[in-house]
């Protein structure tokens, strides 16, 4: 019998009732549902009541910002000005169907325009002395810790999916352990897992949520429990460590991006574009376009540019004869060019769909002495261990995480 227990605990307020994941599109939907709200405000200067209302407009197929704003008395000059002011944050031409435009109305006039540009970011447009001014603001978020406990029946992956843990969290879990655990062979029926991840939600609207990070990953295999804690240290960055503070990742990251879904493995496969079977020399990760791609390890950029069927390509040279390659990128991070030194975890580019690629994804390869190897099978253990002040901070952090496990 399947016995899966899902526990959630709200970091600050006790127990939550909500459990569904939310993304940016849902953000828009939720805002749209808010439709028109009115509030009365007393203007202290004029001592008269102003009716302030909010209208939520949604971009429809074939519509532009101009279509939406014209009926509210904005002319071509206003719209051009608004487009220009928005441009550093979001390109008006690239706004997708369903994007929300929130109008704060003062009677029949637009007082302010608010446009969400990310889960917790919005642009506020104000007209000051006949000019529109745009200001970006970060919306306040709260963090919620979620605990998931599961028993493995078939595969770890399926059992984890059954607990409704987010995909990105499951993948991060597998990748955190991929160094020590072969998920196809080592895992047996009846083994157990436990994990903690965080979710962020908007303080003003808890329905708008985003999965944040896997914080803790626990596996009990044949009654032996191992624990990995994700810990951010000032000098090393953000990594998983075992109970003793030893780095769990190898010196090259098996997954050089956050929130990714492993979409294609290393080895023989039918090429999705060319149609014939050939060796897939890397692994593919599906994630939203623009997802930051991280340097797998410390090294020197060997190539940063167009790579033919690989599209925009970055290749890094690492120590001990290793190289890592990142293909189909949407673009490169600032300053990433040939000869530049990079650190593990540093943003080098952004996920895209360039070159011979069917859908947005990252194609990731690791080469050892010129030969492609499976990044998931990297065996290079790290001997890096937290010491001194960092270890003290880690112990403290562990206690905090463990409190959620009681
Ligand atoms: Zn690939």
């Amino acid at each position: 019998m399947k016995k899966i227990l899902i526990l959630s605990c709200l970091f600050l307020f006790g127990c939550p009732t909500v459990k569904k994941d939310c993304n940016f599109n849902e953000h828009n939907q939720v805002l749209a549902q808010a439709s028109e709200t009115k509030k009365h405000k007393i203007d202290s200067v004029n001592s008269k009541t102003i009716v302030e209302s909010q209208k939520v407009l949604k971009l429809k197929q074939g519509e532009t910002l101009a279509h939406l704003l014209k009926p509210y008395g904005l002319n071509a000059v206003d719209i051009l000005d608004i487009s220009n002011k928005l441009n550093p944050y979001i390109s008006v031409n690239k706004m997708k169907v369903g994007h929300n435009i929130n109008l704060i109305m003062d009677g029949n006039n637009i007082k302010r325009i608010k446009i969400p540009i990310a889960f917790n970011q919005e642009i506020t447009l104000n007209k000051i002395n006949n000019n529109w001014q745009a200001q970006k603001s970060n919306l306040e978020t709260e963090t919620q810790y979620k605990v998931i406990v599961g028993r493995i029946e078939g595969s770890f992956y399926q059992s984890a999916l059954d607990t409704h843990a987010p995909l990105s969290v499951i993948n991060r879990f597998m990748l955190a352990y991929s160094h020590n655990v072969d998920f196809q062979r080592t895992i047996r029926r009846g083994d157990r897992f436990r994990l903690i991840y965080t979710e962020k939600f908007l303080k003003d609207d808890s329905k708008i949520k985003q999965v944040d990070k896997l914080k803790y990953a626990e596996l009990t295999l044949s009654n032996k429990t191992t624990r990995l804690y994700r810990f951010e240290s000032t000098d090393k960055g953000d990594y998983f460590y075992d109970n003793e503070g030893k780095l769990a990742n190898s010196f090259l990251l098996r997954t050089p991006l956050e929130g990714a879904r492993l979409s294609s493995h290393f080895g023989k496969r039918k090429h999705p574009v060319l149609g014939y079977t050939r060796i897939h020399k890397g692994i593919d990760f599906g994630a939203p376009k623009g997802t930051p791609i991280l340097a797998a390890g410390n090294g020197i950029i060997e190539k940063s540019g167009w790579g033919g069927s690989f599209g925009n390509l970055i290749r890094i040279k690492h120590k001990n004869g290793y190289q890592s390659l990142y293909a189909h990128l949407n673009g490169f991070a600032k300053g990433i060019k040939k000869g530049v030194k990079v650190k593990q975890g540093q943003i080098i580019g952004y996920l895209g769909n360039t070159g011979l690629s069917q859908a947005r994804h990252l194609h990731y390869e690791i080469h050892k002495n010129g030969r492609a190897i499976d990044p998931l099978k990297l065996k290079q253990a790290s001997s890096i261990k937290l010491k001194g002040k960092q270890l003290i901070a880690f112990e403290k952090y562990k206690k905090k995480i463990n409190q959620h496990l009681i």
Side-chain angles (χ1 to χ4, degrees):
M1 200 187 76
K2 192 170 287 181
K3 193 189 168 197
I4 293 163
L5 180 64
I6 304 170
L7 299 166
S8 304
C9 61
L10 187 61
F11 181 40
L12 295 170
F13 312 113
C15 285
T17 51
V18 281
K19 229 192 110 303
K20 205 170 147 271
D21 302 333
C22 185
N23 57 28
F24 183 51
N25 286 336
E26 281 180 60
H27 182 175
N28 277 336
Q29 278 169 18
V30 172
L31 286 176
Q33 281 159 14
S35 66
E36 196 174 328
T37 50
K38 287 194 175 184
K39 63 178 174 189
H40 293 261
K41 209 170 97 177
I42 304 295
D43 187 311
S44 58
V45 181
N46 299 318
S47 296
K48 66 179 183 190
T49 306
I50 294 170
V51 180
E52 203 179 86
S53 65
Q54 187 180 337
K55 270 190 174 30
V56 182
L57 309 176
K58 216 178 193 30
L59 211 58
K60 292 196 200 87
Q61 189 74 43
E63 262 186 350
T64 61
L65 194 61
H67 286 118
L68 286 184
L69 296 179
K70 251 185 195 160
Y72 296 91
L74 296 191
N75 59 31
V77 176
D78 280 312
I79 287 159
L80 184 67
D81 192 17
I82 286 172
S83 302
N84 288 337
K85 301 291 162 54
L86 278 175
N87 210 31
Y89 311 103
I90 185 168
S91 165
V92 169
N93 300 329
K94 285 182 184 162
M95 273 161 65
K96 293 203 176 84
V97 170
H99 205 113
N100 280 348
I101 319 292
N102 306 306
L103 307 181
I104 317 298
M105 307 293 293
D106 177 0
N108 285 329
N109 301 316
I110 293 178
K111 202 175 170 194
R112 279 191 304 280
I113 303 173
K114 288 187 174 199
I115 299 179
I117 56 163
F119 156 68
N120 63 340
Q121 286 180 337
E122 68 179 15
I123 303 295
T124 303
L125 292 147
N126 277 301
K127 198 172 185 180
I128 299 165
N129 300 331
N130 256 349
N131 277 312
W132 286 92
Q133 291 191 355
Q135 201 179 10
K136 187 175 96 172
S137 49
N138 291 323
L139 305 171
E140 267 192 272
T141 59
E142 300 270 8
T143 302
Q144 187 175 14
Y145 280 65
K146 299 212 152 204
V147 182
I148 286 184
V149 181
R151 198 183 119 106
I152 299 167
E153 293 295 332
S155 68
F156 166 79
Y157 192 70
Q158 190 53 51
S159 305
L161 278 179
D162 289 343
T163 65
H164 303 290
L167 260 183
S168 61
V169 165
I170 298 171
N171 280 313
R172 198 71 188 86
F173 187 109
M174 290 177 81
L175 288 156
Y177 268 108
S178 60
H179 190 73
N180 303 304
V181 174
D182 182 339
F183 281 89
Q184 311 295 331
R185 291 192 202 107
T186 326
I187 302 234
R188 292 198 198 130
R189 194 175 168 176
D191 284 341
R192 300 185 305 278
F193 62 91
R194 193 148 64 143
L195 62 89
I196 297 178
Y197 72 95
T198 46
E199 205 171 61
K200 285 197 185 304
F201 61 90
L202 294 190
K203 209 173 174 183
D204 286 343
D205 189 346
S206 62
K207 286 199 276 308
I208 300 172
K209 295 187 286 176
Q210 193 178 53
V211 172
D212 187 31
K213 284 175 178 175
L214 174 69
K215 292 286 201 182
Y216 172 78
E218 177 189 305
L219 262 180
T220 303
L221 306 179
S222 306
N223 291 323
K224 192 174 171 282
T225 300
T226 47
R227 301 178 168 89
L228 297 181
Y229 296 83
R230 187 185 198 139
F231 177 67
E232 211 167 332
S233 73
T234 43
D235 60 336
K236 293 186 182 71
D238 188 8
Y239 288 113
F240 280 93
Y241 294 88
D242 69 9
N243 208 28
E244 278 73 51
K246 208 177 142 204
L247 195 68
N249 297 71
S250 61
F251 87 106
L252 287 180
L253 297 177
R254 286 176 167 85
T255 174
L257 70 170
E258 284 285 342
R261 183 174 54 83
L262 192 61
S263 59
S264 183
H265 284 268
F266 184 89
K268 242 187 205 173
R269 67 152 185 185
K270 198 170 179 183
H271 193 278
V273 177
L274 300 174
Y276 53 81
T277 303
R278 67 173 196 181
I279 293 285
H280 186 224
K281 286 185 175 175
I283 52 177
D284 293 342
F285 293 102
K289 188 175 157 187
T291 299
I293 306 299
L294 316 173
N298 299 342
I300 294 166
I301 302 283
E302 261 187 344
K303 184 183 167 76
S304 170
W306 188 252
S309 62
F310 275 144
N312 287 324
L313 171 80
I314 295 175
R315 199 170 62 233
I316 304 175
K317 188 173 187 282
H318 306 282
K319 278 185 180 165
N320 307 319
Y322 284 93
Q323 284 168 305
S324 58
L325 179 152
Y326 317 78
H328 310 306
L329 303 181
N330 192 42
F332 306 96
K334 220 176 165 187
I336 295 299
K337 49 181 185 244
K338 195 178 166 178
V340 166
K341 268 190 183 176
V342 286
K343 279 190 172 171
Q344 186 175 54
Q346 183 181 335
I347 296 172
I348 51 171
Y350 302 93
L351 189 135
N353 190 22
T354 56
L356 200 56
S357 165
Q358 221 178 20
R360 51 175 172 70
H361 77 286
L362 170 74
H363 171 87
Y364 177 49
E365 290 185 13
I366 290 183
H367 293 237
K368 171 89 202 263
N369 299 328
R371 254 191 74 223
I373 57 166
D374 185 350
L376 297 183
K377 289 193 176 144
L378 268 173
K379 289 282 182 240
Q380 194 96 4
S382 171
S383 53
I384 297 171
K385 194 177 180 293
L386 295 168
K387 284 183 281 206
K389 272 187 193 161
Q390 299 283 359
L391 188 60
I392 293 166
F394 175 69
E395 291 295 336
K396 214 171 140 188
Y397 173 77
K398 252 172 58 182
K399 267 188 199 148
K400 189 182 143 190
I401 290 290
N402 289 345
Q403 279 173 4
H404 295 281
L405 297 171
I406 299 164

